[in-house]
Amino acid sequence: MSIRKIIHIDMDAFYASVEERDFPELRGLPLAVGSAKERGVIATANYEARRYGVHSAMSSKVALLKCPILRFQPPRFAVYRAVSEVIHEIFAEYTDLVEPLSLDEAYLDVTNNKKGIPSATIIAREIKQKILQRTRLTASAGVSYNKFLAKIASDYRKPDGLFVILPNEAEEFLAQLPIEKFYGIGRVTASHLHKMNIYKGADLAKKTKVEMVEIFGKSGMFFYNIVRGIDNRPVEPNRERKSYSVENTFDVDLTTTFAVVAELYHLEQRLWKDIEGSGKSGRTITLKIRFDDFTTLTKSYSDEMPIRSFQKFHKMTKKLLGRMDYLRKPIRLLGVGISNLIDNAEIKEVQLSMDFDD
Ligand code: DCP
Ligand code: MG
């Protein structure tokens, strides 16, 4: 395969930056977007709040403990979606090979771009400028020859960053990179690796294929290639999301109903925010439970109608959990997902035509 030119664009503190843009009185103060209620969860925080240790998916309660002067803004998904459309219009000026990862994040393959610009770095700079001009928001860009490196690069100089990893620099870059910066290696896996004396890409690159599979399970070969700078996944435009899911691995295994229900509730809130922002609804829920011995239990339940309220979603999840024998071993990971998605616009049409039929 010939060498590709991939850009990863990611808006900076996206929801929070939009709120600061539209409510200037909030600028410069620690800010979280999410519900201020004790049981609420934070969608994101601005950089001032992050200095206090506040971050995405943290409970509002913990966030307030870390930063007592934290301000909360309720999310405005319609505004975030509108910004997302503007940045996608900008991407489309350069290429149709755009793969969105979320509202504020996308991969672009600009190897053969519409403007015939040979330098991906120049394109990334132009895109950043246009985003600033048209949305008054900053984005960070990563440029490289594959998706994995482009994604890491966009994170490397955040906020308002532009970082390039050239093919001949990749191996050296990855060798010095702390493993917790590898996209896909979470906090818990990272501390597991630290115990094995693996701190940097170079340490990981010494492992054999067999050892990598022992460490990462079915992602072993993926990471084996990744630490060598190899990632041939294409940029896939218009890939329809088939499901939404969130999961969490716990520092301390869960062993009580109370702990499981409480953690699940947080995951439900996180997932609900994602799906609310997507303009879609699903009718199938799936629960995933991984025990301390890594055996995994999954169970799904489908309703006839799409789930349109958090209450209904929460009720279904609780019922499904009740049907699982989840306390038989300590739980290290919980996950919840929603699938069988349909556009909310379509639901209205379905309901309207039913009204006519009556
Ligand atoms: N988001 C969320 N819940 C999460 C993570 C993210 O609701 N657990 C939302 C809020 C974010 C947006 O998605 O603003 C984009 O997520 P990012 O991970 O890109 O985070 P940010 O853009 O907020 O910050 P960064 O500057 O680190 O990209
Ligand atoms: Mg972002």
Side-chain angles (χ1 to χ4, degrees):
M1 193 152 76
S2 63
I3 286 187
R4 296 177 294 159
K5 293 171 186 172
I6 311 291
I7 300 175
H8 180 257
I9 301 278
D10 184 355
M11 303 294 287
D12 302 318
F14 183 44
Y15 294 1
S17 303
V18 174
E19 296 309 315
E20 285 187 69
R21 179 193 69 178
D22 296 349
F23 301 97
E25 67 274 18
L26 296 171
R27 285 182 202 158
L29 305 171
L31 172 72
V33 176
S35 155
K37 288 196 206 113
E38 248 202 8
R39 307 215 64 177
V41 177
I42 283 171
T44 195
N46 67 1
Y47 282 79
E48 283 80 2
R50 289 182 199 191
R51 270 184 227 121
Y52 292 81
V54 176
H55 58 73
S56 289
M58 178 176 270
S59 78
S60 304
K61 191 177 166 182
V62 171
L64 262 177
L65 285 174
K66 291 196 180 270
C67 177
I69 57 165
L70 188 64
R71 296 277 297 261
F72 288 85
Q73 278 287 107
R76 296 179 299 149
F77 294 112
V79 182
Y80 311 145
R81 263 203 299 277
V83 172
S84 183
E85 273 170 34
V86 174
I87 68 174
H88 277 273
E89 279 164 18
I90 296 169
F91 301 158
E93 293 173 20
Y94 296 87
T95 177
D96 292 326
L97 284 179
V98 177
E99 179 180 335
L101 291 175
S102 63
L103 283 182
D104 84 321
E105 214 180 305
Y107 292 112
L108 285 66
D109 186 330
V110 296
T111 316
N112 300 305
N113 58 84
K114 294 180 187 179
K115 299 196 187 234
I117 300 173
S119 160
T121 307
I122 287 175
I123 295 178
R125 197 172 293 137
E126 284 189 14
I127 288 176
K128 273 169 55 71
Q129 274 164 4
K130 287 183 183 177
I131 289 177
L132 184 61
Q133 281 163 3
R134 296 187 205 168
T135 71
R136 292 189 289 125
L137 298 166
T138 61
S140 293
V143 179
S144 197
Y145 62 92
N146 67 37
K147 283 174 32 170
F148 186 86
L149 288 165
K151 169 115 181 150
I152 289 187
S154 76
D155 205 42
Y156 208 62
R157 289 285 181 265
K158 242 179 190 305
D160 200 14
L162 171 59
F163 192 71
V164 183
I165 303 172
L166 298 173
N168 62 354
E169 301 165 346
E171 216 169 317
E172 208 176 315
F173 178 83
L174 289 165
Q176 58 79 40
L177 194 71
I179 43 116
E180 52 272 23
K181 296 263 179 199
F182 279 68
Y183 179 58
I185 298 188
R187 206 165 29 86
V188 176
T189 308
S191 73
H192 179 61
L193 290 170
H194 289 164
K195 282 182 202 133
M196 302 168 70
N197 255 333
I198 301 171
Y199 291 94
K200 290 174 176 178
D203 304 325
L204 212 49
K206 287 191 203 120
K207 300 289 164 193
T208 64
K209 288 179 185 172
V210 173
E211 287 169 326
M212 290 298 275
V213 172
E214 274 168 12
I215 296 171
F216 293 104
K218 59 180 184 209
S219 309
M221 276 313 292
F222 174 75
F223 282 113
Y224 181 85
N225 286 323
I226 284 303
V227 289
R228 288 163 176 76
I230 301 167
D231 172 14
N232 292 326
R233 290 172 301 162
V235 172
E236 295 184 78
N238 304 324
R239 205 174 53 174
E240 278 265 334
R241 279 290 286 266
K242 292 207 165 42
S243 65
Y244 282 81
S245 62
V246 292
E247 58 181 50
N248 197 12
T249 307
F250 305 103
D251 293 325
V252 179
D253 292 344
L254 311 179
T255 54
T256 64
T257 297
F258 176 78
V260 174
V261 170
E263 291 296 347
L264 191 57
Y265 189 74
H266 279 302
L267 289 171
E268 287 164 25
Q269 287 183 313
R270 257 173 67 193
L271 181 64
W272 194 253
K273 232 179 277 143
D274 286 348
I275 201 141
E276 249 186 342
S278 76
K280 290 180 198 289
S281 304
R283 56 182 190 81
T284 302
I285 58 167
T286 303
L287 282 182
K288 172 167 151 189
I289 297 174
R290 178 165 296 147
F291 297 107
D292 62 345
D293 61 359
F294 278 83
T295 55
T296 306
L297 210 68
T298 59
K299 205 172 172 72
S300 297
Y301 174 79
S302 298
D303 198 75
E304 278 168 28
M305 293 299 290
I307 308 161
R308 297 300 300 276
S309 75
F310 181 77
Q311 280 79 355
K312 175 175 168 186
F313 170 50
H314 178 55
K315 236 178 171 167
M316 281 171 67
T317 314
K318 243 168 70 180
K319 207 162 149 189
L320 186 60
L321 180 70
R323 291 201 218 141
M324 296 169 85
D325 178 18
Y326 62 90
L327 284 182
R328 61 176 142 167
K329 281 175 244 166
I331 294 173
R332 68 174 261 121
L333 173 147
L334 272 181
V336 59
I338 296 186
S339 54
N340 268 320
L341 303 176
I342 173 169
D343 277 345
N344 287 341
E346 281 176 56
I347 298 175
K348 287 203 191 85
E349 277 167 34
V350 172
Q351 278 167 351
L352 268 180
S353 66
M354 284 199 321
D355 291 342
F356 281 115
D357 289 341
D358 292 341

